[in-house]
Amino acid sequence: MQTYKAPTRDIRFCLETMGYDQVAGLPNFEDYDLDTLMSIIEEAGKFCANEMLACNGTADQEGVHYNPETMEVTTPKGFKELWAKFRENEFAAMPHPQEYGGHGAPFSLAFVMSELSTATNKSFSMCPGLTQGLVDALLHHGSDSQKEVYLKPLISCEYTGTMCLTEPQCGTDLGLLTTKAEPIEGKEDAYSITGTKIWITFGEHDLTENIVHLVLARLPGAPEGIKGISTFIVPKILQNGERNPIFCGGLEHKMGIHASPTCVMNLEGAEGYLVGEPNKGMKVMFTMMNAARLSVGIEGVALSEISYQTALAFAKDRTQMRALDPAKRDPNAKADNILVHPDVRRMLLNIKASTEGMRALSNWIAVNIDVAENHTDEKIRQEANDLVALFTPIVKSYCTERGFWNVSEAMQVCGGSGYTTDWCIEQYLRDVRIAMIYEGTNHIQALDLIGRKLPSKGGRAMMTFNQKITDFIRDNKEDERMAPFVNPVKEASKILTDLTMNTLMAKAAKDPEEGGAIASNYLNVFALTSIGYLLGMQAKVALDREGKFYSTKLKTVRFYMDNILPEIHSLVAIMKSGKANMMAFEVDEF
Amino acid sequence: MQTYKAPTRDIRFCLETMGYDQVAGLPNFEDYDLDTLMSIIEEAGKFCANEMLACNGTADQEGVHYNPETMEVTTPKGFKELWAKFRENEFAAMPHPQEYGGHGAPFSLAFVMSELSTATNKSFSMCPGLTQGLVDALLHHGSDSQKEVYLKPLISCEYTGTMCLTEPQCGTDLGLLTTKAEPIEGKEDAYSITGTKIWITFGEHDLTENIVHLVLARLPGAPEGIKGISTFIVPKILQNGERNPIFCGGLEHKMGIHASPTCVMNLEGAEGYLVGEPNKGMKVMFTMMNAARLSVGIEGVALSEISYQTALAFAKDRTQMRALDPAKRDPNAKADNILVHPDVRRMLLNIKASTEGMRALSNWIAVNIDVAENHTDEKIRQEANDLVALFTPIVKSYCTERGFWNVSEAMQVCGGSGYTTDWCIEQYLRDVRIAMIYEGTNHIQALDLIGRKLPSKGGRAMMTFNQKITDFIRDNKEDERMAPFVNPVKEASKILTDLTMNTLMAKAAKDPEEGGAIASNYLNVFALTSIGYLLGMQAKVALDREGKFYSTKLKTVRFYMDNILPEIHSLVAIMKSGKANMMAFEVDEF
């Protein structure tokens, strides 16, 4: 059973409490006050619930087809029609500049919309998601003529984009890549590119005529490692109409996202054009990758949400066993609705509270991207930029890991039915699992957090964040109603600070292996604490308002504080032994 | 890549340290000393690694086929041949009485063998697994003539068995079942059975001519609820050669175990024979179910083990990034083997240590089943029986949940490769997930633990177990080498006792909803603590022995104590708020 209603009420509250007023007040975005934003989101939600979801399950079952003779890929039934509607709606054009056919809307809007589209059709949504990344890369690093040629058709969904990084011998470690780019004699700025790329999402498909690949490769004589990587645009169809020799050599067979073609791409002297400076390709890639990492984080939120709604629909429908409390038993029935059982509620609330928390966290960072890029005050821009950098790996890693747990918990609510294809959760579980791996595995995010983001600029971002928590605690310590929300955050924040100062700074700075050993758990403590703080901020607002949404929000935040935030205690206890036990094993002792 | 070697070294050590000497010393089992047992296990391991594994992946991809015209089910390619070999080996005959063609071996042996067969072909193994349950039920409750007719062909794998419990309106809550059994006039002890059963594993297939179903149904005038349920044998082919009208109406489509047919079975006046007394069917079912629950627990261990071996093979093969410690970098390579990275080790050791711990726990209980059924001393039999009852829900629930996380962690070690079908872990992840649901969902196990097993006989089983931990702590407190193993167990045991006395006994006894709210987390604290104790016992033995296996075991146990056992801290913190937050929500607030 496919069921979904866009969680617009919670999204509105998130935007409101996570600082969207700062964005709406900017000159760039005077057309995008919160009401306007929400009316667009409502419409997008309907489109997703009606159109995107309709072919989500069938597309998963059908999968994608590869023809080895033509090296062409056919997408599942319904995708071409959906693409046409998606294009007509200008769903993908929202956040891009008006001069290239975009709507000039805030990134926050695109980000929220990506939750809705991912929830209802993750495979399909990956194609515009990657295209958006390519648009960003070209806006930041493309030459004027590259922008002229490619941006409009990419923004209008006439073309789609890909990101070609991985090769058989290098995934995490891009420094090992060997694809070669050699200048083409007689053609200025054009290169002949040869190599094999793997795991290329929508590397080949039948949704559009043209596909524009962003390809990492090495120029002749380039330095070894990541300092010798350059970035190239490689279109499937050249401007003169010729077919560029970049062909799909086959598809991967995967646990999920069956409707998203994961291609082996063979470049056989394909013509490409340098983007940005020679050997500075990683800079271009990181522009794509940072936004992509946030979007992958939202995948965890999106699949949690639809799984929650599905499990709740199941629970409301199913009667089984009697209520433990005799007073709650229906005297006219032989069994009670399973929502009477504390454990069913426990599982549902684990999903609900963490999903709302992750939505607050990820939307907070999305809002800060808009602030960082558009605010008129430099200091505010800088602070927002610091927070975006610090939290991008946290959003990517925590939301995808928790998202996977959440979908599994939703399956458990549905019992045997959850394991069958009938309730679709099994697809969501298969689809969400990849998010912990791609765009940098979750541990790579944790290393990014401790190795790059935390120490950057003398730890300025962490100090900014700490100050916010300190302010929150100070501002609310007199308010007794806030005690159940302030005290747990205060305790967690103390633990996080202690970990950061006395474990990370003290031990890991001296011995990088100590850092590597605790990084993943440290990231989770960071995530749990910051979500606690953000939900605490939401509780503060909810306390002064009336209505069911706000009273429920207070209960949900309370559940988070008492039933989820305490997960930090075990993480901290586990980190105590550091690297010792892990490094004690010889290779042949595993 | 399919890779598996039966973990016979660790199995031997488990049997040795978990009390198998008590079993080998019994008159029934004089032919089964540990060396003999291990030689059978070695052979079984080879059979599983060579024959069972060979068609595991292809069978998953092909799945099972249903012909709606003939209502017949065809198993995947290779299954018929595998069944013939399995039968020839008398793999399934081991634990059954010699008078019916069995080998009279200990249950412990069958249990260990089920780890090996499940690891290498879970779908296939479910068929003999259910057959074994039916044999047990008939041995305990069948009439002499029923034993005469059915036991030999079931034990020799000429027939297979099923367990027909679930109906569309009742899964967990069997009291709601409506299948009817009416006496057939003129046929003594024969009943005409009508109803629909769902989720019947191997309810129909082409491996054997005959299939014997154990069916729950109601006699005319039977009381409502579970006190009005009787059990019947319903063979597919009657003794006179006629086809009994019990037909497969269709197959479920599931996330995993694709090669195991999950059937809708329609009984259209099928002839059945009462097993045991009228209206006492649950007693028969529980004989099957308790053994089945242990076997489901071992599924988590089995899939953890093969996933671990696969991830380790990947890790040993893959080079990516440089070691964090410059001294560990291979000067002749551009990247180091990923086993140098602390987080890769952390993930692998999480799997290794918990898998070895769960193997100890489940084998301890298997050994206790043999003791409970065969020991000459009544007091020892009773103590063993108490432990089996207490720990059956713990083994089922904890090992399946942890098993699922372990397989997911193994996938993470392999990065993108883990998500593709190439490394097979994605199949193991899909296959293992059902174990948290069937044979009583994990929360039902937790309710069984706190509601039935703990209070039974004045808490005698828990007292027996507590005494064992107390003895362990007392016996080893002077041994400084044991401190890293004794202290964590002492702390955990104190926490468990406190929880049991002050939370469960005090609060949950007065308010069952308080019990329901904490049961699942309580079970996990119990599991983590008891595994700590058992691994501590193993460490004690290992300390006095020489050789790589023992020194590695000490490191593994140390990892468990420092990096896994501390998970109890968060569980305890989460339990503190009890039912309050869960029950605070109105139905329309979810």
Side-chain angles (χ1 to χ4, degrees):
Chain A
M1 196 185 110
Q2 291 182 322
T3 183
Y4 184 73
K5 192 175 168 303
T8 50
R9 188 67 197 82
D10 195 51
I11 287 170
R12 185 185 179 101
F13 187 62
C14 273
L15 290 169
E16 207 185 335
T17 51
M18 295 297 118
Y20 185 72
D21 55 334
Q22 269 197 306
V23 178
L26 296 174
N28 289 4
F29 299 129
E30 54 189 13
D31 294 343
Y32 292 96
D33 63 14
L34 185 57
D35 285 333
T36 307
L37 211 68
M38 289 312 303
S39 68
I40 298 170
I41 293 168
E42 290 283 355
E43 282 311 304
K46 283 177 200 157
F47 177 74
C48 291
N50 297 331
E51 307 285 345
M52 304 272 285
L53 191 57
C55 62
N56 189 36
T58 51
D60 170 67
Q61 274 159 42
E62 183 188 338
V64 283
H65 312 279
Y66 175 67
N67 182 333
E69 311 247 319
T70 61
M71 293 186 277
E72 285 174 344
V73 171
T74 315
T75 54
K77 198 164 168 269
F79 266 35
K80 273 187 146 171
E81 295 75 10
L82 184 59
W83 186 258
K85 288 178 194 164
F86 189 86
R87 195 179 157 184
E88 197 183 323
N89 282 345
E90 303 186 12
F91 205 112
M94 282 297 159
H96 300 306
Q98 285 166 320
E99 62 176 306
Y100 300 111
H103 290 257
F107 173 78
S108 316
L109 173 62
F111 191 70
V112 166
M113 286 166 73
S114 77
E115 181 194 326
L116 313 183
S117 60
T118 300
T120 48
N121 203 322
K122 176 157 159 40
S123 282
F124 181 90
S125 303
M126 292 173 73
C127 188
L130 283 157
T131 305
Q132 187 177 317
L134 177 57
V135 169
D136 284 340
L138 288 176
L139 280 169
H140 283 90
H141 305 282
S143 68
D144 287 345
S145 73
Q146 287 168 347
K147 289 181 189 174
E148 199 56 45
V149 173
Y150 295 107
L151 281 178
K152 274 193 184 176
L154 284 168
I155 289 171
S156 73
C157 291
E158 187 187 338
Y159 299 174
T160 68
T162 80
M163 194 148 93
C164 298
L165 286 73
T166 305
E167 298 177 7
Q169 79 289 357
C170 67
T172 293
D173 192 355
L174 289 173
L176 301 174
L177 75 82
T178 59
T179 296
K180 284 187 168 45
E182 307 207 312
I184 300 176
E185 261 184 75
K187 272 196 185 177
E188 213 181 333
D189 292 332
Y191 295 82
S192 166
I193 304 178
T194 304
T196 297
K197 295 289 179 178
I198 62 170
W199 299 347
I200 310 309
T201 300
F202 280 92
E204 178 62 35
H205 61 76
D206 57 356
L207 300 177
T208 58
E209 278 284 299
N210 206 353
I211 301 170
V212 183
H213 305 275
L214 201 68
V215 177
L216 294 189
R218 289 186 188 283
L219 290 168
E224 285 205 347
I226 57 165
K227 289 180 181 162
I229 295 174
S230 307
T231 308
F232 302 85
I233 291 179
V234 181
K236 175 180 171 182
I237 310 290
L238 296 170
Q239 274 183 273
N240 62 11
E242 272 178 38
R243 179 70 165 85
N244 207 5
I246 174 166
F247 294 108
C248 176
L251 299 178
E252 300 292 338
H253 301 282
K254 314 179 297 288
M255 183 167 80
I257 48 168
H258 289 160
S260 165
T262 304
C263 305
V264 175
M265 297 304 294
N266 296 316
L267 293 98
E268 301 164 358
E271 189 167 316
Y273 317 108
L274 185 68
V275 179
E277 290 172 60
N279 301 331
K280 296 278 165 70
M282 292 307 288
K283 207 174 146 191
V284 181
M285 269 299 143
F286 269 108
T287 303
M288 283 183 87
M289 211 126 80
N290 274 326
R293 285 177 172 182
L294 274 184
S295 299
V296 171
I298 203 75
E299 293 178 3
V301 183
L303 278 294
S304 290
E305 177 66 40
I306 193 165
S307 300
Y308 175 76
Q309 292 190 25
T310 311
L312 183 59
F314 178 90
K316 285 187 169 173
D317 180 60
R318 180 81 171 163
T319 58
Q320 202 79 172
M321 310 293 284
R322 301 314 316 240
L324 292 166
D325 177 355
K328 291 178 184 159
R329 289 177 194 162
D330 178 351
N332 302 314
K334 289 184 180 174
D336 295 299
N337 182 265
I338 64 170
L339 264 178
V340 298
H341 303 308
D343 198 69
V344 171
R345 290 167 162 254
R346 183 184 68 86
M347 293 189 282
L348 285 170
L349 292 172
N350 267 336
I351 312 172
K352 179 181 168 69
S354 64
T355 304
E356 294 182 14
M358 294 189 292
R359 182 177 293 122
L361 175 66
S362 52
N363 281 324
W364 182 53
I365 297 308
V367 163
N368 271 296
I369 286 182
D370 284 320
V371 173
E373 290 183 358
N374 299 284
H375 207 281
T376 47
D377 182 327
E378 196 194 324
K379 195 172 171 310
I380 293 176
R381 279 205 309 275
Q382 177 216 295
E383 189 186 293
N385 203 49
D386 283 353
L387 290 172
V388 170
L390 182 65
F391 279 98
T392 294
I394 295 173
V395 170
K396 194 283 180 183
S397 177
Y398 185 75
C399 297
T400 58
E401 186 175 322
R402 184 88 206 187
F404 178 65
W405 293 5
N406 280 345
V407 181
S408 177
E409 193 103 297
M411 176 178 282
Q412 196 69 14
V413 170
C414 302
S417 300
Y419 192 69
T420 68
T421 55
D422 303 352
W423 283 82
C424 310
I425 293 179
E426 68 86 29
Q427 179 190 348
Y428 307 145
L429 190 61
R430 290 185 287 103
D431 284 355
V432 77
R433 183 60 183 80
I434 185 61
M436 290 166 67
I437 297 171
Y438 60 19
E439 298 301 340
T441 63
N442 281 0
H443 179 62
I444 291 297
Q445 307 300 322
L447 290 180
D448 179 44
L449 173 67
I450 69 160
R452 256 178 253 140
K453 302 305 175 58
L454 269 183
S456 167
K457 292 162 192 141
R460 196 173 67 191
M462 184 69 178
M463 285 187 272
T464 300
F465 177 64
N466 275 341
Q467 189 56 51
K468 286 186 181 294
I469 295 198
T470 308
D471 292 349
F472 167 73
I473 295 166
R474 188 201 55 223
D475 293 350
N476 295 293
K477 71 179 172 190
E478 309 288 326
D479 186 347
E480 266 180 45
R481 301 171 311 163
M482 281 294 286
F485 311 116
V486 169
N487 295 340
V489 172
K490 192 174 167 184
E491 187 195 0
S493 150
K494 216 178 132 198
I495 289 171
L496 175 62
T497 305
D498 179 61
L499 264 180
T500 309
M501 305 305 288
N502 300 325
T503 306
L504 260 191
M505 304 267 187
K507 283 166 75 180
K510 275 182 224 145
D511 180 352
E513 283 185 347
E514 290 286 359
I518 63 166
S520 294
N521 285 330
Y522 174 80
L523 182 145
N524 285 336
V525 173
F526 209 137
L528 286 158
T529 304
S530 35
I531 288 173
Y533 155 68
L534 295 170
L535 289 180
M537 298 282 282
Q538 292 195 329
K540 173 79 177 167
V541 175
L543 271 171
D544 291 327
R545 295 195 185 169
E546 282 188 5
K548 197 150 195 117
F549 175 80
Y550 299 107
S551 58
T552 303
K553 178 61 82 176
L554 288 169
K555 293 178 186 179
T556 307
V557 176
R558 186 71 194 264
F559 186 91
Y560 180 86
M561 298 296 175
D562 295 346
N563 294 63
I564 297 178
L565 186 53
E567 288 172 11
I568 60 176
H569 298 304
S570 290
L571 298 173
V572 169
I574 288 167
M575 276 185 268
K576 275 189 188 139
S577 60
K579 75 172 194 178
N581 292 323
M582 299 162 206
M583 304 318 283
F585 282 73
E586 302 296 327
V587 168
D588 63 354
E589 290 176 330
F590 278 92
Chain B
M1 198 186 110
Q2 290 182 322
T3 182
Y4 184 74
K5 190 175 170 302
T8 50
R9 188 66 196 83
D10 195 50
I11 287 170
R12 185 185 178 103
F13 188 61
C14 273
L15 290 169
E16 206 183 336
T17 51
M18 296 296 119
Y20 185 73
D21 54 335
Q22 269 197 304
V23 178
L26 295 174
N28 290 3
F29 300 129
E30 55 189 12
D31 293 343
Y32 291 97
D33 63 14
L34 186 58
D35 285 334
T36 306
L37 212 66
M38 288 312 304
S39 70
I40 298 170
I41 293 168
E42 289 283 356
E43 282 310 305
K46 282 176 200 158
F47 176 74
C48 291
N50 297 332
E51 306 286 346
M52 304 272 285
L53 191 57
C55 62
N56 190 34
T58 51
D60 170 67
Q61 273 158 42
E62 183 190 339
V64 283
H65 312 280
Y66 176 67
N67 182 336
E69 312 245 320
T70 60
M71 293 186 279
E72 286 174 345
V73 171
T74 314
T75 54
K77 197 162 169 272
F79 266 34
K80 273 187 144 171
E81 295 74 11
L82 184 59
W83 186 258
K85 288 179 193 162
F86 189 85
R87 198 181 155 183
E88 197 183 323
N89 282 346
E90 304 187 13
F91 205 112
M94 281 299 158
H96 300 305
Q98 285 165 322
E99 63 176 304
Y100 300 111
H103 289 257
F107 172 78
S108 315
L109 173 62
F111 192 70
V112 166
M113 286 165 73
S114 77
E115 182 193 326
L116 313 182
S117 60
T118 299
T120 48
N121 203 324
K122 175 157 160 38
S123 282
F124 181 90
S125 302
M126 292 173 74
C127 188
L130 283 157
T131 305
Q132 186 177 317
L134 176 58
V135 168
D136 284 340
L138 287 175
L139 280 168
H140 284 89
H141 305 282
S143 68
D144 287 347
S145 73
Q146 287 168 347
K147 289 181 188 172
E148 199 54 46
V149 173
Y150 295 107
L151 281 177
K152 275 194 184 176
L154 284 168
I155 289 171
S156 72
C157 291
E158 187 188 338
Y159 299 173
T160 68
T162 80
M163 193 149 96
C164 298
L165 287 72
T166 305
E167 299 178 7
Q169 78 290 355
C170 67
T172 294
D173 192 355
L174 289 173
L176 301 175
L177 76 82
T178 58
T179 295
K180 283 187 170 44
E182 306 205 314
I184 300 176
E185 262 183 75
K187 272 198 185 177
E188 213 181 332
D189 292 331
Y191 296 81
S192 165
I193 303 179
T194 303
T196 297
K197 295 288 179 180
I198 62 169
W199 299 345
I200 308 309
T201 299
F202 280 93
E204 178 62 35
H205 61 76
D206 57 356
L207 300 178
T208 57
E209 278 284 301
N210 207 353
I211 301 169
V212 183
H213 305 276
L214 201 68
V215 177
L216 294 189
R218 289 186 189 284
L219 291 168
E224 285 204 349
I226 58 166
K227 289 179 181 164
I229 296 175
S230 306
T231 308
F232 302 85
I233 292 180
V234 180
K236 176 180 169 182
I237 310 289
L238 296 169
Q239 276 185 273
N240 61 11
E242 273 177 37
R243 179 71 166 85
N244 207 4
I246 175 168
F247 294 108
C248 176
L251 299 178
E252 300 292 339
H253 300 282
K254 314 179 296 291
M255 184 167 80
I257 48 169
H258 289 160
S260 165
T262 305
C263 305
V264 175
M265 297 304 295
N266 296 314
L267 294 97
E268 302 164 357
E271 190 167 314
Y273 318 106
L274 185 69
V275 178
E277 290 173 60
N279 302 330
K280 297 278 165 70
M282 291 308 287
K283 208 174 145 190
V284 182
M285 268 300 143
F286 269 108
T287 304
M288 285 183 87
M289 209 125 79
N290 275 327
R293 284 177 172 180
L294 275 182
S295 298
V296 171
I298 203 75
E299 293 179 4
V301 183
L303 278 294
S304 289
E305 177 66 40
I306 193 166
S307 300
Y308 175 77
Q309 292 190 25
T310 310
L312 182 60
F314 178 89
K316 284 187 170 173
D317 180 60
R318 180 81 172 163
T319 59
Q320 201 80 173
M321 310 294 283
R322 301 313 315 241
L324 292 165
D325 177 355
K328 291 178 184 160
R329 290 177 192 162
D330 178 350
N332 302 316
K334 290 183 179 174
D336 294 298
N337 182 265
I338 63 170
L339 263 179
V340 298
H341 303 308
D343 198 69
V344 171
R345 291 167 161 254
R346 184 184 67 86
M347 292 190 282
L348 286 170
L349 292 173
N350 268 335
I351 312 172
K352 179 180 167 70
S354 63
T355 303
E356 293 183 15
M358 295 190 291
R359 183 176 294 121
L361 175 66
S362 52
N363 281 324
W364 182 53
I365 297 308
V367 163
N368 272 295
I369 286 182
D370 284 321
V371 174
E373 290 182 358
N374 300 285
H375 207 282
T376 47
D377 182 325
E378 196 194 326
K379 196 171 169 309
I380 293 176
R381 278 206 309 274
Q382 178 215 294
E383 189 185 293
N385 203 48
D386 284 353
L387 290 172
V388 170
L390 182 66
F391 280 96
T392 294
I394 295 173
V395 170
K396 193 284 180 181
S397 177
Y398 185 76
C399 297
T400 59
E401 188 175 321
R402 185 87 205 188
F404 178 65
W405 299 127
N406 280 346
V407 181
S408 178
E409 193 102 296
M411 175 178 283
Q412 196 68 16
V413 170
C414 302
S417 300
Y419 192 68
T420 69
T421 56
D422 303 350
W423 283 80
C424 310
I425 294 179
E426 68 86 29
Q427 180 190 347
Y428 308 146
L429 189 60
R430 290 184 288 102
D431 284 355
V432 77
R433 183 61 184 77
I434 186 60
M436 290 167 67
I437 296 172
Y438 61 21
E439 299 300 340
T441 64
N442 281 0
H443 179 61
I444 291 296
Q445 308 300 322
L447 290 180
D448 179 43
L449 173 66
I450 68 159
R452 256 179 252 139
K453 302 306 174 56
L454 269 183
S456 168
K457 293 162 192 143
R460 196 174 67 191
M462 183 69 177
M463 284 186 275
T464 300
F465 177 64
N466 275 342
Q467 189 56 50
K468 287 186 179 295
I469 295 198
T470 308
D471 292 350
F472 168 72
I473 295 167
R474 189 202 54 224
D475 292 350
N476 294 292
K477 70 179 174 192
E478 310 287 326
D479 186 347
E480 265 180 45
R481 302 171 310 161
M482 281 294 286
F485 310 116
V486 170
N487 294 339
V489 172
K490 191 175 168 185
E491 187 195 1
S493 151
K494 217 178 132 200
I495 289 170
L496 176 62
T497 305
D498 179 61
L499 264 180
T500 309
M501 305 305 287
N502 301 324
T503 304
L504 259 192
M505 303 268 186
K507 282 165 75 179
K510 278 182 221 143
D511 180 353
E513 283 185 348
E514 289 286 0
I518 63 168
S520 295
N521 285 329
Y522 175 80
L523 181 145
N524 284 337
V525 173
F526 208 136
L528 286 158
T529 305
S530 34
I531 289 173
Y533 155 69
L534 295 170
L535 289 179
M537 298 281 283
Q538 291 194 330
K540 174 79 177 167
V541 175
L543 270 171
D544 291 328
R545 296 195 185 170
E546 282 189 4
K548 197 148 195 118
F549 174 80
Y550 300 107
S551 58
T552 303
K553 178 60 81 176
L554 288 169
K555 293 178 187 180
T556 307
V557 176
R558 185 71 193 264
F559 186 90
Y560 180 86
M561 297 297 175
D562 294 346
N563 294 63
I564 296 179
L565 185 54
E567 288 173 10
I568 60 174
H569 298 303
S570 289
L571 298 173
V572 169
I574 288 167
M575 277 186 267
K576 275 190 187 141
S577 60
K579 75 173 195 177
N581 293 323
M582 296 160 208
M583 304 317 283
F585 282 72
E586 302 295 326
V587 168
D588 62 354
E589 291 176 331
F590 277 92

